[in-house]
Amino acid sequence: MEKVEFIDPDTDERVEFYVVEQTTIGNVNYLMVTVDEEGDSDAFVLKEIPGGTDSDAAYEMVEDDRELEAIAKVFAELLEDVDIQF
């Protein structure tokens, strides 16, 4: 599983996530990530924001409930063997 590192812009703290799946919807890239590589874990949906470079993309957590629900449904279809609850 691919591991990615993010820097929290508020605290400059480095946070590592494992990428479970990625998809592009409406020319926007989304990542589903977890803190733990295996087992049950909370998952987060991250959305690429404009302004990043190819080698250093910028992402933010999806917080809008409607957008999150729609994207979660897409990830649920891509990950048939994963039970997604929100």
Side-chain angles (χ1 to χ4, degrees):
M1 192 175 295
E2 182 182 357
K3 190 179 204 180
V4 294
E5 182 178 88
F6 294 92
I7 299 173
D8 184 324
D10 296 329
T11 64
D12 287 331
E13 179 182 351
R14 294 185 183 279
V15 182
E16 292 182 341
F17 291 110
Y18 293 94
V19 178
V20 176
E21 186 62 80
Q22 62 186 35
T23 191
T24 302
I25 301 170
N27 293 324
V28 177
N29 295 320
Y30 292 92
L31 300 177
M32 175 178 274
V33 299
T34 64
V35 176
D36 299 318
E37 185 173 13
E38 294 183 17
D40 291 341
S41 177
D42 289 337
F44 305 97
V45 177
L46 305 176
K47 174 181 177 177
E48 186 172 358
I49 55 175
T53 63
D54 288 339
S55 63
D56 198 23
Y59 285 85
E60 65 183 10
M61 286 197 185
V62 175
E63 295 182 8
D64 178 84
D65 290 338
R66 293 179 75 200
E67 181 180 16
L68 182 59
E69 185 175 334
I71 301 305
K73 287 179 182 178
V74 172
F75 280 126
E77 289 179 20
L78 293 171
L79 301 164
E80 296 174 354
D81 61 336
V82 175
D83 182 28
I84 298 176
Q85 299 177 14
F86 53 98

